[in-house]
Each structure stands twice: as C-alpha cells, then as structure tokens.
C-alpha cells in the first residue's frame, strides 16, 4: 500500500504564490518520478511538471518560469512552488508518483486564483 497526502492548496489572488506538497508513505522501495498534474472543470487532466530520480525536470509550457518542482528524498515528498499565479491556473492539482510497484495518484487539492 502506498499513500499520497497532498496539502497547500487554497484561494490566492492573481500574482500570488502557493506551495503544494505531496508526501508519499507506505511500501516504497524506489521512486522513479514524482510529478504534478491538474484538471480544470470541463478539461482533461494535464501535466504540470515532473521530476525524475536523476534530477531531470519537465514543465508544461504554460507554467515555465513561474512554477518550480522540487523533491526531498529523505521525506519522499515532492513540492510545487507556484509563483505569479494566473486565473487560468485554477484547477484541482494531483500528485502522481511512479514507483516500483506502479503508479499512484493523490486525492487532489484545489487551487483557485481569483480576485
């Protein structure tokens, strides 16, 4: 069993910042990638950013230069620092972890960017 616990979502004004966290626990032997996806109402779930165990990162074009993904290996936790937030960033953000036993998703955390 693997559990992913997300936190850090909320309501923020345009131009503001939020930091999302996702802590993985349970039967984890090796983490390959940790990442964040998001889904806005009426839209498909889309990749925001991911980070491999070698340190490589990949970002959606829409968030490049504004979002930063990072990881604390000792805590099996991945973070998403979101700066210069825009109303179009409003969505439910999901953590996704690929480990030896498969792919796991978090429960999602709501991010709302509005004045």
């Amino acid at each position: 069993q693997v559990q992913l616990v997300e936190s850090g979502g909320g309501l923020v004004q345009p131009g503001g910042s939020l930091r999302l966290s996702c802590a993985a626990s349970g039967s984890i032997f090796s983490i390959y990638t940790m990442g964040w996806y998001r889904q806005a109402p009426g839209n498909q779930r889309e990749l925001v950013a991911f980070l491999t165990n070698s340190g490589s990162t990949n970002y959606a074009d829409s968030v490049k230069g504004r979002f930063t993904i990072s990881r604390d290996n000792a805590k099996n936790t991945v973070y998403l620092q979101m700066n210069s937030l825009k109303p179009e960033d409003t969505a439910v953000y999901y953590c996704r972890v690929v480990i030896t036993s498969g792919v796991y998703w978090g429960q999602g955390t709501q991010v709302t960017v509005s004045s």
Side-chain angles (χ1 to χ4, degrees), residues 3-56:
Q3 296 81 39
L4 300 178
V5 178
E6 301 167 0
S7 61
L11 172 64
V12 64
Q13 292 187 342
S17 298
L18 283 175
R19 188 193 194 206
L20 305 183
S21 300
C22 173
S25 62
S27 302
I28 300 172
F29 297 101
S30 182
I31 296 178
Y32 297 125
T33 67
M34 303 184 83
W36 292 93
Y37 287 69
R38 67 186 180 187
Q39 187 167 18
N43 290 356
Q44 290 187 332
R45 191 172 298 189
E46 63 177 5
L47 171 70
V48 177
F50 72 80
L51 176 62
T52 70
N53 59 357
S54 65
S56 298

Side-chain angles (χ1 to χ4, degrees), residues 22-104:
C22 173
S25 62
S27 302
I28 300 172
F29 297 101
S30 182
I31 296 178
Y32 297 125
T33 67
M34 303 184 83
W36 292 93
Y37 287 69
R38 67 186 180 187
Q39 187 167 18
N43 290 356
Q44 290 187 332
R45 191 172 298 189
E46 63 177 5
L47 171 70
V48 177
F50 72 80
L51 176 62
T52 70
N53 59 357
S54 65
S56 298
T57 58
N58 189 38
Y59 294 92
D61 288 342
S62 59
V63 306
K64 283 180 181 177
R66 301 187 298 121
F67 291 10
T68 302
I69 189 169
S70 61
R71 175 174 166 177
D72 185 333
N73 291 328
K75 297 180 179 180
N76 288 331
T77 299
V78 62
Y79 305 96
L80 185 67
Q81 178 66 44
M82 305 185 293
N83 299 328
S84 302
L85 283 160
K86 305 175 181 180
E88 51 263 42
D89 294 319
T90 296
V92 177
Y93 283 70
Y94 296 91
C95 172
R96 177 181 182 266
V97 173
V98 180
I99 63 174
T100 323
S101 61
V103 179
Y104 296 86

